[in-house]
Amino acid sequence: MRRRTGEETRQLLLSIGLDMLFERGAAIGVEHIRLQEVLRRAGLTTGAAYRLWADQTEYQHDLALAMLRLRFADPIENATAAVEQLMEDGADVDTIIRAASGTHALDSERRGEGRGSRDTEAFLLALALRASGATTPELRAASRERHEESVEGFSRFYERLMKAYGYRMKTPYTVRDFTEAMAALGEGFAIHALEGIEHPRLDIAVDDEAPTGRWSLFGLAVRALAARFMTRDVPTTSDESPEATAADDSNAETPAAPRSGADDADSRGRRAPLRSPSR
């Protein structure tokens, strides 16, 4: 059997350390992942490790760095998959918000379920490391790089949805501003999941002063945030921002893009629900 190179051994031990992090979760940093345990699992001697790292602290630093850089998929893959067919079918904005927000890590007991569960775990572990405070410039840089990748990806995702449904950012906000606010909101609820805090869900009745149906609190917060940051991208005879038509008028459906003549409203004078454009 060919002898491993030093780099191959390094990658093996980091990979085993990552597997152990997935098994045990994050604590304060990665100090609970002991190099001796990693070596035993790898079937290697102590000398193999200490030819690569001066001590356990150096190994744990590189393990934390590997965790911060680890991704199994594009950051927007799950959200995109959740809304793709719905958009094709002409779903309204509330349906899109519910579907996309449902892909977020909200409950510790559901973290291993469904599409992208491994990447969800990676997100939560990286978030725990970021929340515990990066201790070196290299770790801080990796944390910022991960955040920037996510913000860039979700900015594109939100721009696509806004274009499809006829919305723009209110002045002076940018899509980047909205995405940063969404990141803070989502990461806050993800930390709740890490702590085992059950995420609130509401069943909203027709006569309630809120959008009807079953909603996560995160989904409702996303809806409210969009209402404050966005407005319709076409001239109308009334204020048709999400704030006016979806958030403030809680029992009305999200408005459709304006059309000419009598098609603008239904027989009761209410706007039809927002639809994605046909392809």
Side-chain angles (χ1 to χ4, degrees):
M1 180 181 294
R2 183 179 67 86
R3 185 172 181 174
R4 292 188 189 91
T5 66
E7 180 58 25
E8 287 171 339
T9 300
R10 180 179 182 277
Q11 291 302 320
L12 172 65
L13 295 177
L14 288 174
S15 177
I16 290 173
L18 290 171
D19 286 340
M20 293 171 69
L21 264 178
F22 278 103
E23 291 168 10
R24 301 179 185 183
I28 304 301
V30 297
E31 286 80 5
H32 58 308
I33 305 299
R34 313 292 293 181
L35 184 53
Q36 287 296 333
E37 293 180 75
V38 173
L39 287 166
R40 280 196 296 272
R41 186 175 292 197
L44 297 177
T45 64
T46 302
Y50 288 105
R51 283 193 292 271
L52 301 168
W53 295 283
D55 53 29
Q56 179 167 266
T57 299
E58 281 193 7
Y59 169 76
Q60 290 171 337
H61 172 274
D62 281 2
L63 179 60
L65 194 61
M67 186 68 253
L68 286 170
R69 291 172 173 168
L70 181 65
R71 286 193 189 274
F72 294 104
D74 186 280
I76 66 169
E77 182 178 291
N78 291 342
T80 300
V83 304
E84 198 76 47
Q85 189 59 52
L86 292 171
M87 292 179 69
E88 291 279 356
D89 294 341
D92 63 26
V93 168
D94 279 353
T95 301
I96 296 296
I97 291 174
R98 269 194 292 249
S101 62
T103 66
H104 192 60
L106 297 176
D107 298 291
S108 57
E109 67 272 16
R110 297 175 60 194
R111 279 158 49 183
E113 297 178 5
R115 179 187 179 99
S117 59
R118 186 74 164 171
D119 203 50
T120 297
E121 285 294 317
F123 161 69
L124 290 170
L125 287 166
L127 180 61
L129 291 174
R130 291 170 58 203
S132 66
T135 55
T136 70
E138 193 175 19
L139 289 173
R140 285 194 292 272
S143 179
R144 287 194 298 270
E145 182 179 346
R146 186 183 181 95
H147 175 75
E148 188 62 31
E149 286 175 358
S150 295
V151 168
E152 287 181 1
F154 275 99
S155 291
R156 293 192 301 270
F157 177 69
Y158 300 141
E159 285 174 344
R160 179 191 171 198
L161 291 179
M162 289 168 63
K163 181 178 180 180
Y165 285 92
Y167 284 88
R168 64 170 175 82
M169 302 305 300
K170 295 178 181 178
T171 58
Y173 308 130
T174 65
V175 175
R176 171 82 187 210
D177 295 331
F178 176 74
T179 307
E180 290 281 9
M182 285 285 293
L185 178 67
E187 288 176 357
F189 278 124
I191 289 174
H192 286 190
L194 281 169
E195 295 170 342
I197 297 173
E198 183 177 356
H199 187 78
R201 287 177 170 78
L202 296 84
D203 291 301
I204 302 174
V206 174
D207 57 350
D208 285 328
E209 296 178 325
T212 58
R214 182 162 179 78
W215 286 84
S216 67
L217 189 59
F218 177 58
L220 289 169
V222 170
R223 190 180 193 270
L225 198 62
R228 293 299 177 184
F229 275 79
M230 299 175 189
T231 188
R232 292 298 303 278
D233 195 26
V234 289
T236 63
T237 57
S238 62
D239 183 355
E240 289 190 326
S241 70
E243 176 182 359
T245 57
D248 292 345
D249 184 4
S250 58
N251 291 321
E253 296 188 73
T254 312
R259 293 172 291 179
S260 61
D263 286 344
D264 256 0
D266 65 16
S267 59
R268 292 166 293 178
R270 188 177 64 182
R271 289 286 180 185
L274 178 61
R275 302 290 181 184
S276 62
S278 59
R279 293 191 174 186

